[in-house]
Amino acid sequence: MVVWTDFERATIQDIFSKIDYANVGLNALTRCLVVYPWTQRYFAKFGNLYNAAAIMGNPMVAAHGLVVFSGLDKAVKNMDNIKVAFAELSVLHSEKLHVDPDNFRLLADCITIVVAAQMGAAFTPEVQAAFQKFLAVVAAALRKQYH
């Protein structure tokens, strides 16, 4: 079980209350698909992912970025039990989609960069530590869960 400090809990809730899920989701997923092009294999049905402009302009990428942030919103609302909240998503990503679990960390890094750019000076080292802890917990919850 993860223990959250009051600062961490408040910081995560504050960040998610201020960001535009659609915009940050699109930018983070685009960054991931461009910087780590091998991640594109999971999105073959999305069509044209040939370059950064095509990825950024792809409505399916935008829609999935919003899905990612809707999932993160669920994690924010279930911070005390993210693993249970993400049990079905974990099974989907591991058993049906066969997503390499390391890709969750790569996407988390891209999310951190986009949020940091949006927050500017407010993204202090302490805020970053809380945010990255949250994303690490989410990524761990998405790994295949053995019962």
Side-chain angles (χ1 to χ4, degrees), residues 68-139:
V68 168
F69 269 81
S70 294
L72 290 173
D73 185 69
K74 181 178 182 177
V76 171
K77 292 175 178 161
N78 293 280
M79 285 180 70
D80 293 318
N81 215 347
I82 293 172
K83 187 174 182 178
V84 170
F86 277 30
E88 287 182 34
L89 277 175
S90 174
V91 170
L92 170 69
H93 283 86
S94 65
E95 294 179 12
K96 184 177 179 192
L97 302 175
H98 306 289
V99 175
D100 179 345
D102 194 47
N103 290 333
F104 300 124
R105 183 189 57 80
L106 299 176
L107 180 57
D109 288 348
C110 292
I111 291 168
T112 299
I113 291 166
V114 171
V115 169
Q118 189 173 72
M119 290 182 66
F123 200 74
T124 64
E126 296 82 10
V127 169
Q128 180 180 351
F131 191 67
Q132 288 194 265
K133 177 181 176 179
F134 172 77
L135 293 176
V137 171
V138 170

Side-chain angles (χ1 to χ4, degrees), residues 4-17 79 130:
W4 301 101
T5 66
D6 291 340
F7 173 80
E8 290 168 337
R9 191 178 298 276
T11 297
I12 298 309
Q13 292 169 346
D14 184 57
I15 289 171
F16 280 90
S17 73
M79 285 180 70

